[in-house]
Amino acid sequence: MGTGRRGLMATAVAVVCAVTVLAAPGTAFANPTPSPTPSAGPALAPAKDLEAVRKKLDRLYRAAGRATDEYNAADEKADKQSAEVVELAKKIVKGQEKLRKLKDRAGAAAAAQYRGGGLPPEAHLVLSDDPQDFLDGAGRVREGHHATKGLLGELTRTQEDLEQYAKDASAQLKKLEAGRKAKAAAQKKIEKQIAQAEKLESELQKEEQERLAELEKEAADRAQTAWLGSGILQEINGKASEQGKKAVKYATAQIGKPYQWGAEGPETYDCSGLTSQAWISAGRGIPRTSQEQWKRLRHVDIQDMRPGDLVIYFDDASHVGMYIGDGAIVHAPRPGRSVTIAGAGTMPILGVVRPDADTDAGAD
């Protein structure tokens, strides 16, 4: 039993360590720095070709974003499962100690019965000089029988509990292994998509990289202008709650820090790492991934959103930013970029969720 217990504990610790190692994503990717002086070289690509490159890069980074959500979800599950394995291991240790004590008590009871000779009550009556002593003794015998029966029942229940704990621990360890594989697969997807995007960008001349950045900004400006053109901003006048103000203050204080997939700060962030940590700083824990934030937090209409609310983007909920007012969000965009402020309408909005749904808005 002791060997099994140590084995289980060692396995739990090993798995937790493995999860911790896997949870550390790769280094952040630096944004290419354009040279101020154009260099001679091949002819620049036509604008339409650069626009095709921009769209392809967008697809690659979006795919990396989806894989990052998968990685973060697997990481979150692994943390919970590791904690459950540790708790089960503790229960097994306590159960084994309880079983040992119960066996000691059962052994003492058996020894006492042996010392009494196991004589039937009639023999004790014959041998007793005082009938009252016999009656008192008979009462104690009955109590002893009941106690022994209860002890045996407790022994059985404790053994059954230990068996169940062992089964549960085994099941959790299998889930942990499956989660480890899911994390590894998601990590490969992320690295593959980012590597393809970086290769595509590296093949551009510096002037083309500059023009590509302009095209990205123009596309974002067009989307924001169209969103504002709907008149939506005139309807959005919600005031931040006290917790919302704290979340916004935290998120905006991270502006300029690099994006890094799987990161939750304090030096680097991915999109949902930024929003979840901002709300934790405000005293409200929320789901780790943008997809879970969309699933589990209260949905509010866009016209009702207020600073601190989370804007979820794309039909697969693969990106999230925090609304800060005046039609803007703060977000961690993608690899090669830093936490920044952008227009709330620069990407297709899936919807808005509110972490502090049960909190009234505060005063200005």
Side-chain angles (χ1 to χ4, degrees), residues 214-257:
E214 291 175 5
L215 289 173
E216 289 179 352
K217 184 178 184 303
E218 288 170 6
D221 289 345
R222 284 196 302 271
Q224 178 73 354
T225 299
W227 185 68
L228 293 177
S230 68
I232 187 67
L233 197 57
Q234 297 173 12
E235 301 180 46
I236 302 173
N237 54 17
K239 301 294 189 296
S241 66
E242 288 306 312
Q243 281 188 309
K245 290 177 183 177
K246 291 177 182 177
V248 169
K249 182 178 180 181
Y250 178 97
T252 53
Q254 312 313 309
I255 289 173
K257 293 184 177 180

Tab-separated table of all heavy atoms in Angstrom, residues 214-257:
chain	number	residue	atom	x	y	z
A	214	GLU	N	1.042	49.619	-43.943
A	214	GLU	CA	0.061	50.640	-44.320
A	214	GLU	C	-1.260	49.997	-44.737
A	214	GLU	O	-2.347	50.488	-44.401
A	214	GLU	CB	0.611	51.494	-45.467
A	214	GLU	CG	1.770	52.396	-45.068
A	214	GLU	CD	2.360	53.130	-46.273
A	214	GLU	OE1	1.782	52.993	-47.385
A	214	GLU	OE2	3.382	53.822	-46.100
A	215	LEU	N	-1.158	48.905	-45.492
A	215	LEU	CA	-2.374	48.202	-45.922
A	215	LEU	C	-3.154	47.658	-44.728
A	215	LEU	O	-4.388	47.701	-44.713
A	215	LEU	CB	-2.009	47.062	-46.875
A	215	LEU	CG	-1.532	47.458	-48.270
A	215	LEU	CD1	-1.055	46.232	-49.044
A	215	LEU	CD2	-2.646	48.171	-49.039
A	216	GLU	N	-2.433	47.137	-43.733
A	216	GLU	CA	-3.091	46.636	-42.519
A	216	GLU	C	-3.842	47.767	-41.820
A	216	GLU	O	-4.982	47.598	-41.380
A	216	GLU	CB	-2.055	46.027	-41.575
A	216	GLU	CG	-1.477	44.702	-42.057
A	216	GLU	CD	-0.427	44.151	-41.102
A	216	GLU	OE1	-0.046	44.870	-40.150
A	216	GLU	OE2	0.024	43.009	-41.325
A	217	LYS	N	-3.188	48.918	-41.718
A	217	LYS	CA	-3.822	50.065	-41.059
A	217	LYS	C	-5.019	50.555	-41.858
A	217	LYS	O	-6.076	50.887	-41.288
A	217	LYS	CB	-2.801	51.197	-40.889
A	217	LYS	CG	-3.351	52.415	-40.123
A	217	LYS	CD	-2.292	53.473	-39.937
A	217	LYS	CE	-2.827	54.618	-39.088
A	217	LYS	NZ	-4.054	55.240	-39.654
A	218	GLU	N	-4.881	50.589	-43.182
A	218	GLU	CA	-5.996	51.043	-44.025
A	218	GLU	C	-7.199	50.106	-43.878
A	218	GLU	O	-8.347	50.569	-43.816
A	218	GLU	CB	-5.541	51.106	-45.485
A	218	GLU	CG	-4.586	52.247	-45.779
A	218	GLU	CD	-3.970	52.147	-47.172
A	218	GLU	OE1	-4.390	51.237	-47.936
A	218	GLU	OE2	-3.078	52.949	-47.484
A	219	ALA	N	-6.956	48.804	-43.847
A	219	ALA	CA	-8.051	47.838	-43.696
A	219	ALA	C	-8.744	48.026	-42.352
A	219	ALA	O	-9.978	47.986	-42.257
A	219	ALA	CB	-7.511	46.418	-43.827
A	220	ALA	N	-7.945	48.245	-41.296
A	220	ALA	CA	-8.524	48.457	-39.965
A	220	ALA	C	-9.328	49.749	-39.926
A	220	ALA	O	-10.434	49.793	-39.349
A	220	ALA	CB	-7.410	48.488	-38.917
A	221	ASP	N	-8.796	50.803	-40.563
A	221	ASP	CA	-9.499	52.097	-40.582
A	221	ASP	C	-10.819	51.988	-41.334
A	221	ASP	O	-11.838	52.568	-40.911
A	221	ASP	CB	-8.613	53.169	-41.220
A	221	ASP	CG	-7.446	53.569	-40.333
A	221	ASP	OD1	-7.481	53.231	-39.133
A	221	ASP	OD2	-6.498	54.207	-40.851
A	222	ARG	N	-10.816	51.243	-42.451
A	222	ARG	CA	-12.061	51.068	-43.213
A	222	ARG	C	-13.121	50.365	-42.371
A	222	ARG	O	-14.285	50.760	-42.351
A	222	ARG	CB	-11.798	50.259	-44.490
A	222	ARG	CG	-11.123	51.031	-45.602
A	222	ARG	CD	-11.250	50.302	-46.945
A	222	ARG	NE	-10.683	48.952	-46.880
A	222	ARG	CZ	-9.406	48.671	-47.137
A	222	ARG	NH1	-8.557	49.651	-47.441
A	222	ARG	NH2	-8.965	47.430	-47.085
A	223	ALA	N	-12.703	49.317	-41.684
A	223	ALA	CA	-13.652	48.566	-40.861
A	223	ALA	C	-14.195	49.430	-39.720
A	223	ALA	O	-15.400	49.411	-39.436
A	223	ALA	CB	-12.970	47.320	-40.306
A	224	GLN	N	-13.314	50.204	-39.079
A	224	GLN	CA	-13.749	51.067	-37.976
A	224	GLN	C	-14.689	52.156	-38.470
A	224	GLN	O	-15.701	52.460	-37.831
A	224	GLN	CB	-12.534	51.676	-37.273
A	224	GLN	CG	-12.864	52.634	-36.133
A	224	GLN	CD	-13.391	51.937	-34.888
A	224	GLN	OE1	-13.626	50.728	-34.902
A	224	GLN	NE2	-13.590	52.695	-33.826
A	225	THR	N	-14.361	52.731	-39.610
A	225	THR	CA	-15.209	53.787	-40.174
A	225	THR	C	-16.600	53.254	-40.500
A	225	THR	O	-17.614	53.917	-40.235
A	225	THR	CB	-14.557	54.368	-41.453
A	225	THR	OG1	-13.285	54.931	-41.111
A	225	THR	CG2	-15.440	55.445	-42.071
A	226	ALA	N	-16.644	52.053	-41.071
A	226	ALA	CA	-17.941	51.445	-41.395
A	226	ALA	C	-18.737	51.178	-40.126
A	226	ALA	O	-19.958	51.393	-40.079
A	226	ALA	CB	-17.729	50.148	-42.167
A	227	TRP	N	-18.044	50.709	-39.079
A	227	TRP	CA	-18.729	50.420	-37.814
A	227	TRP	C	-19.278	51.700	-37.194
A	227	TRP	O	-20.436	51.748	-36.763
A	227	TRP	CB	-17.743	49.734	-36.869
A	227	TRP	CG	-18.348	49.275	-35.571
A	227	TRP	CD1	-19.269	48.278	-35.393
A	227	TRP	CD2	-18.081	49.788	-34.268
A	227	TRP	NE1	-19.587	48.137	-34.061
A	227	TRP	CE2	-18.857	49.055	-33.343
A	227	TRP	CE3	-17.236	50.793	-33.784
A	227	TRP	CZ2	-18.831	49.299	-31.968
A	227	TRP	CZ3	-17.198	51.034	-32.415
A	227	TRP	CH2	-17.989	50.296	-31.526
A	228	LEU	N	-18.458	52.744	-37.170
A	228	LEU	CA	-18.915	54.022	-36.609
A	228	LEU	C	-20.001	54.644	-37.475
A	228	LEU	O	-20.899	55.325	-36.972
A	228	LEU	CB	-17.733	54.986	-36.480
A	228	LEU	CG	-16.652	54.604	-35.466
A	228	LEU	CD1	-15.505	55.606	-35.506
A	228	LEU	CD2	-17.219	54.518	-34.056
A	229	GLY	N	-19.921	54.392	-38.793
A	229	GLY	CA	-20.902	54.949	-39.716
A	229	GLY	C	-22.313	54.446	-39.467
A	229	GLY	O	-23.288	55.058	-39.919
A	230	SER	N	-22.429	53.326	-38.771
A	230	SER	CA	-23.759	52.795	-38.449
A	230	SER	C	-24.452	53.615	-37.366
A	230	SER	O	-25.632	53.401	-37.083
A	230	SER	CB	-23.639	51.346	-37.985
A	230	SER	OG	-22.966	51.282	-36.720
A	231	GLY	N	-23.706	54.534	-36.732
A	231	GLY	CA	-24.270	55.346	-35.655
A	231	GLY	C	-24.273	54.664	-34.308
A	231	GLY	O	-24.844	55.173	-33.343
A	232	ILE	N	-23.591	53.506	-34.228
A	232	ILE	CA	-23.623	52.720	-32.997
A	232	ILE	C	-23.048	53.472	-31.803
A	232	ILE	O	-23.520	53.335	-30.674
A	232	ILE	CB	-22.851	51.381	-33.204
A	232	ILE	CG1	-23.010	50.471	-31.992
A	232	ILE	CG2	-21.377	51.639	-33.480
A	232	ILE	CD1	-24.387	49.952	-31.762
A	233	LEU	N	-22.032	54.323	-32.052
A	233	LEU	CA	-21.373	54.993	-30.927
A	233	LEU	C	-22.310	55.960	-30.211
A	233	LEU	O	-22.158	56.203	-29.008
A	233	LEU	CB	-20.126	55.735	-31.418
A	233	LEU	CG	-19.110	56.135	-30.333
A	233	LEU	CD1	-18.644	54.927	-29.542
A	233	LEU	CD2	-17.916	56.848	-30.957
A	234	GLN	N	-23.289	56.485	-30.938
A	234	GLN	CA	-24.252	57.387	-30.311
A	234	GLN	C	-25.124	56.658	-29.296
A	234	GLN	O	-25.685	57.283	-28.386
A	234	GLN	CB	-25.128	58.028	-31.390
A	234	GLN	CG	-24.347	58.901	-32.367
A	234	GLN	CD	-25.202	59.382	-33.528
A	234	GLN	OE1	-26.431	59.259	-33.494
A	234	GLN	NE2	-24.560	59.921	-34.565
A	235	GLU	N	-25.248	55.327	-29.460
A	235	GLU	CA	-26.080	54.547	-28.544
A	235	GLU	C	-25.295	54.006	-27.351
A	235	GLU	O	-25.879	53.564	-26.368
A	235	GLU	CB	-26.713	53.374	-29.300
A	235	GLU	CG	-27.577	53.798	-30.483
A	235	GLU	CD	-28.162	52.580	-31.191
A	235	GLU	OE1	-28.663	51.681	-30.498
A	235	GLU	OE2	-28.090	52.542	-32.437
A	236	ILE	N	-23.965	54.007	-27.473
A	236	ILE	CA	-23.136	53.429	-26.406
A	236	ILE	C	-22.743	54.518	-25.418
A	236	ILE	O	-21.929	55.394	-25.730
A	236	ILE	CB	-21.863	52.766	-26.987
A	236	ILE	CG1	-22.243	51.686	-27.993
A	236	ILE	CG2	-21.003	52.192	-25.876
A	236	ILE	CD1	-21.055	51.097	-28.728
A	237	ASN	N	-23.329	54.494	-24.244
A	237	ASN	CA	-23.018	55.515	-23.237
A	237	ASN	C	-22.939	54.930	-21.831
A	237	ASN	O	-23.128	55.629	-20.847
A	237	ASN	CB	-24.049	56.654	-23.282
A	237	ASN	CG	-25.478	56.119	-23.157
A	237	ASN	OD1	-25.693	54.989	-22.727
A	237	ASN	ND2	-26.443	56.934	-23.553
A	238	GLY	N	-22.681	53.613	-21.754
A	238	GLY	CA	-22.616	52.978	-20.439
A	238	GLY	C	-21.413	53.457	-19.635
A	238	GLY	O	-20.359	53.777	-20.188
A	239	LYS	N	-21.572	53.514	-18.331
A	239	LYS	CA	-20.504	53.920	-17.416
A	239	LYS	C	-19.885	52.685	-16.770
A	239	LYS	O	-20.579	51.735	-16.420
A	239	LYS	CB	-21.071	54.839	-16.321
A	239	LYS	CG	-21.732	56.120	-16.849
A	239	LYS	CD	-20.697	57.015	-17.512
A	239	LYS	CE	-21.287	58.390	-17.837
A	239	LYS	NZ	-22.385	58.336	-18.819
A	240	ALA	N	-18.600	52.725	-16.610
A	240	ALA	CA	-17.881	51.588	-16.027
A	240	ALA	C	-18.235	51.416	-14.554
A	240	ALA	O	-18.441	52.389	-13.829
A	240	ALA	CB	-16.375	51.788	-16.167
A	241	SER	N	-18.287	50.160	-14.123
A	241	SER	CA	-18.416	49.876	-12.697
A	241	SER	C	-17.063	50.134	-12.041
A	241	SER	O	-16.055	50.359	-12.716
A	241	SER	CB	-18.826	48.412	-12.487
A	241	SER	OG	-17.770	47.560	-12.927
A	242	GLU	N	-17.017	50.098	-10.710
A	242	GLU	CA	-15.744	50.305	-10.019
A	242	GLU	C	-14.744	49.216	-10.401
A	242	GLU	O	-13.561	49.479	-10.621
A	242	GLU	CB	-15.958	50.328	-8.508
A	242	GLU	CG	-16.651	51.590	-7.999
A	242	GLU	CD	-15.934	52.863	-8.439
A	242	GLU	OE1	-14.694	52.926	-8.280
A	242	GLU	OE2	-16.596	53.770	-8.965
A	243	GLN	N	-15.222	47.962	-10.486
A	243	GLN	CA	-14.335	46.880	-10.900
A	243	GLN	C	-13.906	47.055	-12.354
A	243	GLN	O	-12.762	46.781	-12.719
A	243	GLN	CB	-15.009	45.520	-10.717
A	243	GLN	CG	-15.003	45.027	-9.275
A	243	GLN	CD	-15.519	43.596	-9.185
A	243	GLN	OE1	-16.576	43.273	-9.709
A	243	GLN	NE2	-14.777	42.738	-8.510
A	244	GLY	N	-14.836	47.513	-13.188
A	244	GLY	CA	-14.518	47.747	-14.590
A	244	GLY	C	-13.426	48.784	-14.757
A	244	GLY	O	-12.537	48.643	-15.601
A	245	LYS	N	-13.472	49.831	-13.943
A	245	LYS	CA	-12.433	50.870	-13.999
A	245	LYS	C	-11.071	50.282	-13.659
A	245	LYS	O	-10.054	50.604	-14.291
A	245	LYS	CB	-12.766	52.000	-13.031
A	245	LYS	CG	-13.965	52.843	-13.440
A	245	LYS	CD	-14.267	53.886	-12.375
A	245	LYS	CE	-15.506	54.703	-12.717
A	245	LYS	NZ	-15.841	55.674	-11.655
A	246	LYS	N	-11.045	49.408	-12.648
A	246	LYS	CA	-9.777	48.786	-12.250
A	246	LYS	C	-9.242	47.883	-13.360
A	246	LYS	O	-8.037	47.854	-13.630
A	246	LYS	CB	-9.976	47.975	-10.970
A	246	LYS	CG	-10.254	48.819	-9.733
A	246	LYS	CD	-10.503	47.940	-8.514
A	246	LYS	CE	-10.825	48.779	-7.279
A	246	LYS	NZ	-11.126	47.914	-6.109
A	247	ALA	N	-10.159	47.146	-14.007
A	247	ALA	CA	-9.742	46.257	-15.100
A	247	ALA	C	-9.170	47.059	-16.263
A	247	ALA	O	-8.144	46.695	-16.847
A	247	ALA	CB	-10.921	45.402	-15.560
A	248	VAL	N	-9.836	48.154	-16.617
A	248	VAL	CA	-9.355	49.010	-17.705
A	248	VAL	C	-8.000	49.612	-17.353
A	248	VAL	O	-7.088	49.670	-18.194
A	248	VAL	CB	-10.373	50.127	-18.009
A	248	VAL	CG1	-9.761	51.178	-18.933
A	248	VAL	CG2	-11.635	49.540	-18.639
A	249	LYS	N	-7.844	50.050	-16.123
A	249	LYS	CA	-6.579	50.644	-15.691
A	249	LYS	C	-5.436	49.643	-15.824
A	249	LYS	O	-4.335	49.974	-16.305
A	249	LYS	CB	-6.687	51.115	-14.238
A	249	LYS	CG	-5.428	51.802	-13.718
A	249	LYS	CD	-5.628	52.290	-12.293
A	249	LYS	CE	-4.359	52.975	-11.768
A	249	LYS	NZ	-4.538	53.433	-10.363
A	250	TYR	N	-5.697	48.393	-15.435
A	250	TYR	CA	-4.666	47.361	-15.550
A	250	TYR	C	-4.334	47.106	-17.016
A	250	TYR	O	-3.157	47.068	-17.403
A	250	TYR	CB	-5.142	46.066	-14.892
A	250	TYR	CG	-4.143	44.929	-15.001
A	250	TYR	CD1	-3.278	44.652	-13.956
A	250	TYR	CD2	-4.065	44.144	-16.153
A	250	TYR	CE1	-2.337	43.626	-14.055
A	250	TYR	CE2	-3.132	43.122	-16.262
A	250	TYR	CZ	-2.283	42.855	-15.210
A	250	TYR	OH	-1.364	41.841	-15.317
A	251	ALA	N	-5.363	46.918	-17.837
A	251	ALA	CA	-5.140	46.554	-19.238
A	251	ALA	C	-4.383	47.658	-19.979
A	251	ALA	O	-3.443	47.378	-20.746
A	251	ALA	CB	-6.463	46.260	-19.924
A	252	THR	N	-4.772	48.904	-19.776
A	252	THR	CA	-4.106	50.000	-20.488
A	252	THR	C	-2.679	50.213	-19.988
A	252	THR	O	-1.829	50.716	-20.729
A	252	THR	CB	-4.908	51.304	-20.358
A	252	THR	OG1	-5.178	51.570	-18.964
A	252	THR	CG2	-6.230	51.208	-21.108
A	253	ALA	N	-2.410	49.808	-18.750
A	253	ALA	CA	-1.039	49.928	-18.229
A	253	ALA	C	-0.084	48.951	-18.908
A	253	ALA	O	1.136	49.086	-18.798
A	253	ALA	CB	-1.029	49.697	-16.718
A	254	GLN	N	-0.630	47.954	-19.629
A	254	GLN	CA	0.204	46.957	-20.307
A	254	GLN	C	0.532	47.359	-21.746
A	254	GLN	O	1.227	46.618	-22.453
A	254	GLN	CB	-0.492	45.590	-20.311
A	254	GLN	CG	-1.063	45.137	-18.978
A	254	GLN	CD	-0.096	45.299	-17.816
A	254	GLN	OE1	1.050	44.853	-17.880
A	254	GLN	NE2	-0.567	45.922	-16.739
A	255	ILE	N	0.039	48.508	-22.193
A	255	ILE	CA	0.262	48.940	-23.568
A	255	ILE	C	1.768	49.004	-23.863
A	255	ILE	O	2.551	49.531	-23.072
A	255	ILE	CB	-0.396	50.317	-23.817
A	255	ILE	CG1	-1.923	50.156	-23.833
A	255	ILE	CG2	0.075	50.936	-25.137
A	255	ILE	CD1	-2.684	51.462	-23.912
A	256	GLY	N	2.140	48.448	-25.006
A	256	GLY	CA	3.540	48.418	-25.410
A	256	GLY	C	4.235	47.109	-25.103
A	256	GLY	O	5.323	46.843	-25.637
A	257	LYS	N	3.620	46.253	-24.266
A	257	LYS	CA	4.236	44.957	-23.954
A	257	LYS	C	3.949	43.962	-25.083
A	257	LYS	O	2.854	43.957	-25.647
A	257	LYS	CB	3.713	44.425	-22.615
A	257	LYS	CG	4.158	45.287	-21.439
A	257	LYS	CD	3.716	44.710	-20.107
A	257	LYS	CE	4.232	45.563	-18.948
A	257	LYS	NZ	3.831	45.027	-17.633
